[in-house]
Amino acid sequence: MAKMIKLVSGDGAEFEVEEEVAFQSKIIKDIVADADDVIPLPTVSSKVLIQVIEYCRKHAAVNSFPLSPSSSAAAAASSSSSISYSKPVSDPALRAWDNEFVKLNNSSLFDIVIAANYLDIEELVDLVLETVADRIKGKQAQEIRRQFNIENDFTPEEEEALRRENSWAFQNN
Amino acid sequence: MASSNSTLAMSFSDFPEDVQINILSFLSPSEVSAFACTSRRFAALCGAAAPNSPLWLAICERRWGFRTRPRSWVSSSASFARLYKALDRWEHLIGFWRRIGHGGPGTPHLVFFEWGPSYIAGSRVSPAPDAAGGGYGVLKVPFLWLGLSQHGELVSFLHPGGRLDSSADLLGSVSDSSSSSSGVVDPDLVPVSVSFMGCSHFVVEENRSYYADAREVDSIGVLEEIETSSPPDRLMSEIYQYFAIRTSPGGDKAMRRPRKKERERFGGRHLWEAEHFVKINNYYPTPERPLQGLWKGFSEDMILEFYLFSYDDIGGITCRRVGEAGEQFSGYSPVFWTSNTTFLESPFSSDEQDLYANREHICPVNADGRKSSDSSGVVSRILCINSSYDLVIPGLSASSGDPRNVEGRIWEYDDGTFGFGFLRNNYIIDLKHIAVNEFLLDIVEDL
């Protein structure tokens, strides 16, 4: 019989999840170790908690089965190639699921960043941080500001000087 | 506090700084520059000139943390953005290269570059003598080290003799003060410069201005501006003291001393000739190119040799020997070339089976006279070789136009390795991998 953990969101809603799903969060795992099965999460809203639980449920299911032959071959191939910036999820089906999962607007995505960081769910943190980074790539400063609500506190002269300085320092050779 | 309603749009600026750094560490330098222009706070966070930038350290860690210890490459006041530039440039060295042009006789042609904790080390790779290591052993002798000086400049050193106990003894680790820092400097160390000519070719040349530049700087009298001089770590204290002497007041007297020292070191002549290296791409097979790569096997002369198999762009496969034999080809002599890349699958005809069964696998004989390995692997596929260089190169074989001279076979075994041989004799040269996943196999201690 799977052990159930009860999570309580910031707005008071209760969610019962299997232990192995909840334990994807290192924080929850630590709290439960202190013999407490009801875990209040005042900083996490229901909406976000539902999404996080969905992610953990999907990844717990995958982690409990060994990799299929095709995905382990892919993992072996990628490990013998050149350096990658982060360890990718090796199962292509799971990777596709993850890509769908992060198709959210910035606001929702940011909420998950905060929650995943707080709950210390390593794979989810990696996923959402990289997703945010992907949304910065290829953009000029003005568009980044607009997308991410960053206030421009430069004078026009300062901004121009900074732009010139940075582009000189990092011309791609 | 609770973002339960999300009516207030969350801004990137609201993230804790370590989360921001983590996100930005996924970006390339030009993308970081763009982000730096968004606000004052982020300009400070992303600044490349700042020493100890946590963002630039995170970028280096994310990209190279698996391979090396970025933090230990530089001293505490260094710019991690400069470290990024250095690692990005030198990362390309990792892997196998072969020496071209002249070189000291007996100097191995194959070199292998790998990551150290705070440096990149290049080693000469050659077959181990006397069938060490079960016969397939290789000698790996470090000869070149690349690291960063105290001031973040690229420095590289060469040891012509090549015999050192370990790279760790030489360069140590900046962050590990308990390492064997005997303070002794190896007098054979030659400062060199490593220059890329395109991405598949580099030259290692003696850097005679390594000490001379410091002299020029001294005449301006500014200690802090030394560009090429500071040693990469505290083991090279003698070189360090040299610069301390140089910059003390007393002008001429101080300068005379190092000149004498330099003469003692160099004797006023070139210590060492420049060496050129060309990259060996593709040193490991792929499913589409199962024969590709660097292999080792025993030739018909019972000597361990290195073979490079490459697929060319006209659909052929070339096999070349990398090593001493064949100096006239600059250590890269052709063995055969075939245009046929279609394998025969099992079941094989009885002719083919006989062809294989009647052959002798060349393998090392160990001390008690028995063959050291049972090389009769299960053959999974066969490739017919239809030409050989030996036919067209005069003097390399007793060629007579007999078609059997040019014909041979490659027998692929079920473990992914393979053997090859020619119809003109009864041997099979069985091949094994030289390296897997950037690790050299069967390394034997150089005694």
Side-chain angles (χ1 to χ4, degrees), chain A residues 11-32:
Chain A
D11 39 322
E14 294 182 354
F15 302 87
E16 277 216 318
V17 292
E18 296 81 5
E19 190 179 74
E20 65 161 1
V21 172
F23 278 9
Q24 306 250 323
S25 157
K26 291 204 188 82
I27 297 293
I28 292 177
K29 197 169 176 179
D30 285 346
I31 296 176
V32 169

Side-chain angles (χ1 to χ4, degrees), chain B residues 154-158 170 185-193 205-219 225-232 235-247 254-269 271:
Chain B
L154 306 173
V155 290
S156 33
F157 290 88
L158 176 131
L170 171 67
V185 174
D186 192 317
D188 288 330
L189 274 186
V190 178
V192 292
S193 60
E205 300 167 289
E206 192 177 329
N207 183 359
R208 307 209 71 194
S209 63
Y210 187 84
Y211 299 111
D213 274 352
R215 264 212 303 278
E216 279 173 30
V217 171
D218 180 57
S219 62
E225 234 90 280
I226 295 173
E227 281 302 299
T228 59
S229 48
S230 299
L235 284 186
M236 311 249 232
S237 52
E238 185 185 307
I239 301 177
Y240 209 78
Q241 282 161 29
Y242 158 76
F243 292 109
I245 293 166
R246 235 187 359 78
T247 54
M255 282 178 66
R256 233 180 282 135
R257 207 165 145 189
R259 262 199 216 109
K260 185 180 173 214
K261 223 175 184 173
E262 188 185 343
R263 240 185 291 127
E264 279 168 6
R265 279 176 182 270
F266 294 136
R269 57 176 164 76
L271 271 190

